[in-house]
Amino acid sequence: MSTQSPAGSAEATRGVIDAYLARLDERDLDGAVRLFSDDAEWVAPGSPAVPWSGNRTGQAGVKEFFTLLHEYLRPEEFTVTHIVVDGEQGVIIGHLRDTVKANGKPLTTPFAAHLTVVGGQVKRYHLFEDTYALHRAATGG
């Protein structure tokens, strides 16, 4: 069992996660980006053929991820099924369906995102998804 300070409490973490998901739902990219710290670590493993995959840093890196994602994909469904929080750690679990704009290929994948929230901001974000399905949809393979 971890000792929790008010800034690292489960309630604070859940509040940031809820705010992040609300901003995404509203398509408020700038609002979502502001929830990340200036030195946030963003990890989205994937194929070099997928432009939005890879590691990024800070609010500029988070904004670049979403800008590229929206440039290449047409979102169709984003469903969160579970949110688990323990102190400053949170996990969002769900599934999504998008279409690759360039080739019309569908992308359907479960996902999980592990967030670390410190001082009311996301300090680390690690995205887990079916990177093989992502590669196949993006490359038309």
Side-chain angles (χ1 to χ4, degrees):
M1 185 74 122
S2 61
T3 303
Q4 299 175 4
S5 66
S9 72
E11 293 81 15
T13 299
R14 179 62 191 244
V16 171
I17 289 172
D18 288 346
Y20 171 70
L21 293 172
R23 299 305 176 283
L24 292 183
D25 188 52
E26 297 162 359
R27 297 268 189 236
D28 177 6
L29 176 58
D30 290 334
V33 168
R34 281 193 298 273
L35 294 169
F36 287 78
S37 67
D38 290 332
D39 62 346
E41 179 185 358
W42 180 279
V43 180
S47 163
V50 178
W52 59 92
S53 291
N55 299 345
R56 291 177 169 74
T57 304
Q59 291 183 355
V62 174
K63 187 167 187 167
E64 178 187 39
F65 171 87
F66 282 110
T67 300
L68 288 167
L69 183 79
H70 293 141
E71 181 180 326
Y72 285 89
L73 297 179
R74 184 175 56 253
E76 295 175 10
E77 179 187 353
F78 181 85
T79 302
V80 173
T81 58
H82 298 84
I83 298 173
V84 181
V85 175
D86 180 11
E88 64 185 18
Q89 305 298 315
V91 178
I92 304 166
I93 301 169
H95 59 272
L96 59 84
R97 186 178 71 241
D98 298 323
T99 299
V100 177
K101 292 178 182 179
N103 62 22
K105 295 282 186 182
L107 168 63
T108 303
T109 181
F111 71 85
H114 175 204
L115 295 79
T116 302
V117 177
V118 178
Q121 290 190 301
V122 179
K123 182 78 169 167
R124 185 167 194 277
Y125 187 100
H126 190 141
L127 179 62
F128 301 88
E129 59 188 348
D130 184 343
T131 57
Y132 181 64
L134 181 59
H135 172 84
R136 285 183 48 136
T139 62

